[in-house]
Amino acid sequence: MQASITQAAFGHLPDGRAATLFTLTNPNGLVVKITNFGGIITEIHAPDRHGALADITLGFDSVAPYVKESPYFGALIGRYGNRLRDGRFTLDGQVVQLPANDGAHHLHGGELGYHRVLWRAIPFQEGDSVGLTLIYRSPDGEQGYPGTLDVTVVYELTAGNELVVTFDAVTDKATPVNLTQHAYFNLAGKGDILGHLLRIDADAYTPIDGTLIPTGELAPVAGTAFDFRTPHAIGERIGNDEEQLLHGSGYDHNFVLNKPARKAMTLAARVHEPVSGRVLELFTGEPGVQFYSGNFLDGSLTGKGQAYGYRSGFCLEPQHFPDSPNQSAFPDTILRPGEEYATVSRYKFSVEK
């Protein structure tokens, strides 16, 4: 089989602009579908241990539901992924106020974040790899953020069954930047994700308050339901009577990845679905990963022929830490003129016999 990339219409936005769906196929038959609206991964078809393909990501059949009601299914997230307390931070002595779209807080770049942008898309093929380059200029003041940010995101599907996601950005004013990818996975292709076996290479995590904002502490995972240093089923301890699980209604926390050096590309997480044998490995240079267990899915959203029920998908979002501009002990997320924001994450798909 030859690697290929094709494109097709995916519907229209409310203002009449057309969205396009790009289908990337590698020589092994692995398929990834991406739309230029929000840079959204709409489908990933991966084989099980018997070679049978199934769609292992949550999403919709056309652009309209993504505009209307999607909980960030498959989307690119920016300018700042995750939460900022009260939508506010101080930068170089000036208080910057962003719109609140998650109670009192600012979440995932705001109501009109990068998940709602129609990106300029350039498909490419290099040997057995196919990909899509997405480009967006985020203007000064967009969703309250200072500075014009030029963002490039490259999705590349390799012959090694890896989806490589590369983020690059430059700015003309100091601004916080924390870009990530928000795919929801279900390696079984249906049902809930509680039987998936998860390992996260993190000795610590960032606890949250009752509004899901980090307290500023780096807490050890040892002795808690957050210790995934060895594989555990996602559902094994999710119902434990631990304050942090109650705050998140399950897992909705940033894990502090073990790193031999800053920006080192390491295996952050591994997920194995025992029935199908499918395996997902996430490698990233980011210092953290947000693990979310689909706690707010309730069956009200339907896409691609199924209702997305409670905990029917999980997210592993490589990132800097939530609320970092307000947390001096967290890794710095301020990008300044003359600097380049550059980060790479790799999603490797395989099977365990």
Side-chain angles (χ1 to χ4, degrees), residues 314-329:
F314 68 88
C315 303
L316 290 168
E317 304 155 56
Q319 58 172 16
H320 274 56
F321 301 173
D323 201 38
S324 284
N326 297 313
Q327 304 279 358
S328 60

Side-chain angles (χ1 to χ4, degrees), residues 114 119 134-138 149-153 167-169 179:
Y114 297 171
W119 296 68
L134 298 172
I135 300 170
Y136 178 63
R137 169 164 281 186
S138 177
L149 192 73
D150 286 300
V151 185
T152 301
V153 181
F167 291 95
D168 284 281
L179 307 177

Side-chain angles (χ1 to χ4, degrees), residues 62-240:
S62 68
V63 75
Y66 290 108
V67 175
K68 181 181 178 184
E69 57 188 353
S70 174
Y72 305 99
F73 282 160
L76 295 178
I77 302 297
R79 183 174 302 190
Y80 197 96
N82 221 304
R83 292 172 174 85
L84 293 168
R85 180 185 294 276
D86 298 326
R88 185 185 305 125
F89 57 91
T90 300
L91 178 59
D92 297 336
Q94 299 295 315
V95 176
V96 178
Q97 181 67 57
L98 309 178
N101 63 318
D102 183 53
H105 309 310
H106 180 85
L107 175 65
H108 290 335
E111 190 66 30
L112 299 176
Y114 297 171
H115 62 293
R116 292 186 180 274
V117 164
L118 192 67
W119 296 68
R120 181 160 69 93
I122 305 170
F124 66 86
Q125 182 166 355
E126 297 176 357
D128 287 335
S129 292
V130 292
L132 190 67
T133 299
L134 298 172
I135 300 170
Y136 178 63
R137 169 164 281 186
S138 177
D140 185 16
E142 184 176 53
Q143 293 294 286
Y145 287 95
T148 297
L149 192 73
D150 286 300
V151 185
T152 301
V153 181
V154 179
Y155 288 110
E156 182 180 6
L157 180 61
T158 74
N161 286 357
E162 287 189 338
L163 181 63
V164 183
V165 185
T166 303
F167 291 95
D168 284 281
V170 293
T171 184
D172 62 359
K173 293 181 185 177
T175 187
V177 181
N178 186 30
L179 307 177
T180 191
Q181 219 298 326
H182 205 296
Y184 285 67
F185 295 100
N186 182 324
L187 301 184
K190 59 183 178 181
D192 64 46
I193 46 83
L194 299 178
H196 288 54
L197 300 174
L198 171 65
R199 178 165 60 85
I200 302 176
D201 185 21
D203 293 335
Y205 74 108
T206 52
I208 55 177
D209 65 18
T211 65
L212 307 182
I213 294 291
T215 63
E217 180 186 5
L218 302 184
V221 299
T224 76
F226 294 82
D227 191 349
F228 287 96
R229 294 174 296 178
T230 57
H232 288 270
I234 292 173
E236 179 183 338
R237 301 165 299 179
I238 201 168
N240 285 9

Side-chain angles (χ1 to χ4, degrees), residues 218-277:
L218 302 184
V221 299
T224 76
F226 294 82
D227 191 349
F228 287 96
R229 294 174 296 178
T230 57
H232 288 270
I234 292 173
E236 179 183 338
R237 301 165 299 179
I238 201 168
N240 285 9
D241 186 20
E242 295 186 21
E243 182 181 57
Q244 285 300 306
L245 289 171
L246 298 175
H247 283 338
S249 300
Y251 297 105
D252 194 359
H253 295 74
N254 170 68
F255 285 74
V256 180
L257 298 175
N258 298 328
K259 293 284 181 180
R262 181 174 174 267
K263 292 189 176 182
M265 176 67 74
T266 58
L267 177 60
R270 184 182 191 271
V271 190
H272 171 224
E273 201 287 299
V275 177
S276 67

Side-chain angles (χ1 to χ4, degrees), residues 39-67:
I40 292 168
I41 298 172
T42 66
E43 300 179 31
I44 300 175
H45 296 259
D48 66 7
R49 63 166 57 92
H50 305 295
L53 291 172
D55 185 359
I56 60 168
T57 192
L58 279 56
F60 300 114
D61 297 300
S62 68
V63 75
Y66 290 108
V67 175

